[in-house]
Amino acid sequence: MDMNIQKYMAFIKTVEYGSFTKAAEILNYSQSGISRMINDLEKEWKVILLERRKTGVKLTSDGMKLLPFAKEVCRKYELLQMQVDELNGLQSGFIRVGTFSSVATHWLPNIIHEFQKSYPHIEYELRLGNYSEIEEWLLEGSVDCGFLRLPVRSDLDTLPLEQDALLAVLPVSHPMADCDRFPISSFCREPFIMLERENNTEIADIFSRFSLKPQTRLITWDDYAVMSMVEKGLGISMLHQLILKRTPYNIIVKELDPPIYRDICFAVRNKKTASLAVKRFSEYLKYRQDSFI
């Protein structure tokens, strides 16, 4: 990669993550290397791009003006690289994937494992977020493709993949551990552990749809924290089937009454202009499960 492009990427990722250290991890550089590249840019352009603080970095007013141009240069470079990749038969490339934790844990390892057999020199960046964040990343171009819950915004192109059931998560000593299906109204009878973060309120929205008010004892955005809390008998919860695969926790899971699902899809900003690497990658989504579907 051209050295100037590397510097622009260092600038963009440092702003994106608010940290030299995090940008270094994403771009596979040392923290000092990222800092040095941005210092070089500031010397070349004779401006201060970032305010350095103990808590991270923040754009200066000059940095705000120049950041969109750096992004545009990098976007044009990616388009150039796409054409080179197509001419070279995809001997190299880079795919940025927006994903949520259950897909990152249980689907992507299988997909990438199979994809690498055919395209061993492709590199990846996995960016974890909630549905709204992943949509925004796709629209602004900071990821090339992503996994989302349907429905999504109409200006994204999607490929439906699977329905993922929500399940009740109970401690093994729970009095309803032997029931066939767990009534959703029963969540309101004892302490509930809520999976929620900022504008991702999927579980809370389900309770609202059924006009139910659970006795929420704890709110977290970590699926495994929920499982651990339930295992210790601190409450009951509701999680998706995909994240509950191969769980290390001693818990009971039950289908809901009535059944509730989310529809998972693969999304790109525009399938016609997607890079060759992303188009080939999408062909390997069928390998998402441990056994071929």
Side-chain angles (χ1 to χ4, degrees):
M1 184 185 292
D2 179 88
M3 189 60 200
N4 282 329
I5 298 296
Q6 290 177 330
K7 292 176 183 177
Y8 301 159
M9 286 298 297
F11 174 38
I12 293 166
K13 290 299 180 184
T14 300
V15 172
E16 195 171 297
Y17 290 97
S19 162
F20 290 120
T21 302
K22 188 62 178 177
E25 291 174 6
I26 296 298
L27 296 175
N28 199 27
Y29 285 98
S30 66
Q31 188 271 345
S32 60
I34 294 292
S35 180
R36 185 169 56 253
M37 283 191 276
I38 294 177
N39 286 337
D40 288 347
L41 282 180
E42 291 178 323
K43 289 177 182 177
E44 291 171 20
W45 294 345
K46 297 180 175 61
V47 296
I48 301 299
L49 297 171
L50 301 171
E51 293 179 16
R52 281 78 164 169
R53 302 177 177 180
K54 290 182 179 179
T55 55
V57 297
K58 183 180 179 182
L59 275 171
T60 63
S61 57
D62 288 336
M64 287 181 185
K65 292 176 183 177
L66 295 174
L67 181 62
F69 295 97
K71 286 184 174 180
E72 181 64 14
V73 170
C74 289
R75 191 183 72 83
K76 292 293 187 183
Y77 178 82
E78 288 175 2
L79 293 174
L80 170 64
Q81 195 60 51
M82 283 170 51
Q83 294 301 314
V84 173
D85 290 342
E86 292 190 21
L87 291 172
N88 290 329
L90 202 61
Q91 294 303 308
S92 64
F94 186 65
I95 304 174
R96 301 167 300 173
V97 185
T99 182
F100 45 92
S101 59
S102 54
V103 166
T105 302
H106 297 296
W107 281 4
L108 280 171
N110 300 321
I111 295 168
I112 293 173
H113 179 263
E114 293 298 325
F115 188 64
Q116 282 190 330
K117 292 179 182 178
S118 301
Y119 306 104
H121 303 298
I122 301 296
E123 297 179 0
Y124 311 86
E125 176 188 333
L126 304 184
R127 192 170 177 189
L128 287 170
N130 61 42
Y131 309 131
S132 298
E133 289 171 334
I134 296 167
E135 283 193 9
E136 288 302 316
W137 296 339
L138 283 165
L139 292 169
E140 71 185 21
S142 59
V143 298
D144 306 303
C145 56
F147 293 85
L148 289 168
R149 178 191 63 178
L150 290 170
V152 303
R153 292 175 52 157
S154 59
D155 41 1
L156 293 174
D157 288 333
T158 61
L159 173 66
L161 296 176
E162 284 187 31
Q163 279 194 328
D164 186 23
L166 266 170
L167 302 176
V169 184
L170 314 173
V172 293
S173 60
H174 195 275
M176 295 184 68
D178 294 328
C179 71
D180 291 330
R181 292 177 180 270
F182 192 86
I184 191 168
S185 59
S186 296
F187 285 113
C188 300
R189 297 173 186 164
E190 54 192 294
F192 186 81
I193 301 169
M194 180 75 74
L195 185 73
E196 182 178 311
R197 190 185 86 181
E198 297 173 358
N199 57 349
N200 189 347
T201 58
E202 182 179 7
I203 306 298
D205 292 342
I206 289 169
F207 282 123
S208 178
R209 189 196 316 166
F210 287 91
S211 301
L212 297 172
K213 293 184 178 180
Q215 302 175 36
T216 303
R217 170 166 291 180
L218 184 147
I219 299 174
T220 179
W221 181 236
D222 189 300
D223 307 271
Y224 296 100
V226 170
M227 297 180 212
S228 182
M229 297 288 180
V230 171
E231 182 183 47
K232 294 299 183 183
L234 299 178
I236 62 176
S237 193
M238 188 190 310
L239 293 173
H240 286 99
Q241 186 172 22
L242 184 56
I243 197 64
L244 291 164
K245 290 177 61 177
R246 299 194 302 272
T247 173
Y249 297 96
N250 189 23
I251 53 178
I252 298 290
V253 297
K254 294 290 178 180
E255 294 182 9
L256 296 181
D257 182 19
I260 301 172
Y261 303 90
R262 66 175 172 184
D263 293 298
I264 302 176
C265 70
F266 180 74
V268 295
R269 184 166 51 176
N270 187 318
K271 62 184 179 182
K272 293 181 179 178
T273 59
S275 71
L276 179 62
V278 169
K279 290 175 181 176
R280 293 288 181 269
F281 183 76
S282 68
E283 296 171 3
Y284 285 74
L285 296 174
K286 60 189 178 183
Y287 293 103
R288 58 189 175 272
Q289 302 287 9
D290 292 323
S291 58
F292 179 76
I293 297 175

